[in-house]
Every structure is written in structure tokens, then in C-alpha cells.
């Protein structure tokens, strides 16, 4: 019986282009996934504050750095609504503020896609102002219970 010195697989084939591609992917794919995940994580706002965001250096154009760009940029409608409602939390209970959010979304349907993020921000602000237990008592299904998840996020 002859014994071959060439490495063989179970079926007697050495492999070929498919095996070479498979080995290359096995080495390269994890590196690509780690790098893309790292880049994605750097773009997430981890502060919980909707106002603050981290910009990568590539996000800032040279025109934005110039002194001429010091002009005030008008606030987006959803940002203005969020800020106004968070301000209302100082004087009104979270239930009233959630009602105002629902009314604003009903009056301006274009705000519906921002409703969850606004409700979440309200929940976080309410938890800071009233405490998590008290704020949670006002939770109701406005914008898919995002208010309650905001309270929970601020409490954790």
C-alpha cells in the first residue's frame, strides 16, 4: 500500500480555489467585522442626551470650521418640540406632557417618525426630575411605550 505525502481531505481531494477562498475569508472576515463594528460604535450617541452627538473628523467639512459658519442654524421641528416638551416637565406632570406630544404628532403627521425618540427623551428627563418610580407611573403607550423605555434607561 502506498502512502501519499500530499495532504488530502476525506474525499481524496486537496481542495482547490474554493478551499483557498474559504481560508482567506476565514482570516479576513473577522477583521472586517471588527473594524466595521468599531466604526459603527463610534457613531452612536452613548450619552443618552439627544442634544449632544459625537462627530468624527470626517463629518466636519472645512466650511463648518470657518468663522463665517458661526451663524445660528434653525432648529429642526422635532428638536424644537422635544426641547419645548422637556421644558414643560418642569411645570407640568409627565402625563400632560405626553398628551401634548400626542397632540403635536396628530397635528403634524411629519413628526410621527420622531415620536419615539422624543418620548424616550421625555422619559429620561422625567426620571431625572421626578425619580424613576414616580415618572414610570405616567407611562402609557404614546409612541410605542418609548417614554417607559426612556425612564428605564435613565434609571439603569
Amino acid at each position: 500500500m502506498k502512502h501519499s505525502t500530499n495532504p488530502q481531505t476525506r474525499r481524496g481531494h486537496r481542495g482547490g480555489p474554493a478551499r483557498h477562498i474559504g481560508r482567506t475569508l476565514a482570516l479576513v472576515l473577522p477583521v472586517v467585522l471588527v473594524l466595521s463594528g468599531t466604526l459603527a460604535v463610534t457613531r452612536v450617541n452613548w450619552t443618552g442626551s439627544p442634544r449632544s452627538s459625537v462627530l468624527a473628523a470626517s463629518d466636519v467639512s472645512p466650511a463648518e470650521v470657518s468663522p463665517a459658519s458661526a451663524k445660528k442654524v434653525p432648529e429642526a421641528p422635532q428638536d424644537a418640540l422635544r426641547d419645548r416638551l422637556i421644558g414643560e416637565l418642569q411645570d407640568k406632570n409627565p402625563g400632560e406632557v405626553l398628551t401634548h406630544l400626542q397632540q403635536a404628532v396628530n397635528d403634524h403627521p411629519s413628526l410621527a417618525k420622531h415620536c419615539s425618540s422624543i418620548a424616550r427623551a421625555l422619559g429620561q428627563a422625567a426620571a431625572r426630575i421626578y425619580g424613576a418610580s414616580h415618572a414610570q407611573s405616567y407611562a402609557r403607550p404614546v409612541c410605542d411605550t418609548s417614554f417607559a423605555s426612556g425612564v428605564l434607561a435613565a434609571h439603569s
Side-chain angles (χ1 to χ4, degrees):
M1 176 190 256
K2 289 186 178 182
H3 292 283
S4 172
T5 58
N6 295 334
Q8 296 181 351
T9 62
R10 287 184 182 172
R11 294 187 177 158
H13 300 287
R14 288 191 61 190
R19 185 175 185 137
H20 181 69
I21 291 171
R23 285 184 177 175
T24 302
L25 281 176
L27 293 172
V28 173
L29 191 59
V31 173
V32 170
L33 291 175
V34 168
L35 288 176
S36 64
T38 302
L39 293 174
V41 168
T42 61
R43 301 192 51 89
V44 172
N45 177 3
W46 294 103
T47 64
S49 165
R51 283 224 153 231
S52 66
S53 64
V54 178
L55 292 177
S58 61
D59 292 339
V60 180
S61 69
E64 292 175 20
V65 178
S66 69
S69 67
K71 299 175 189 171
K72 178 146 171 67
V73 177
E75 195 171 31
Q78 67 271 12
D79 296 336
L81 176 62
R82 182 196 62 236
D83 294 345
R84 180 175 60 84
L85 293 175
I86 288 176
E88 283 184 19
L89 280 174
Q90 301 297 328
D91 302 324
K92 299 178 181 165
N93 72 50
E96 290 181 63
V97 176
L98 285 172
T99 299
H100 293 159
L101 171 60
Q102 190 65 55
Q103 289 170 344
V105 170
N106 291 343
D107 293 344
H108 305 285
S110 63
L111 293 171
K113 62 184 172 189
H114 304 287
C115 187
S116 292
S117 65
I118 294 171
R120 192 172 299 110
L122 288 173
Q124 291 171 344
R128 285 191 300 271
I129 295 169
Y130 297 100
S133 297
H134 186 71
Q136 187 64 35
S137 69
Y138 291 98
R140 58 183 184 193
V142 174
C143 308
D144 300 328
T145 65
S146 295
F147 177 83
S149 68
V151 171
L152 180 63
H155 181 57
S156 322

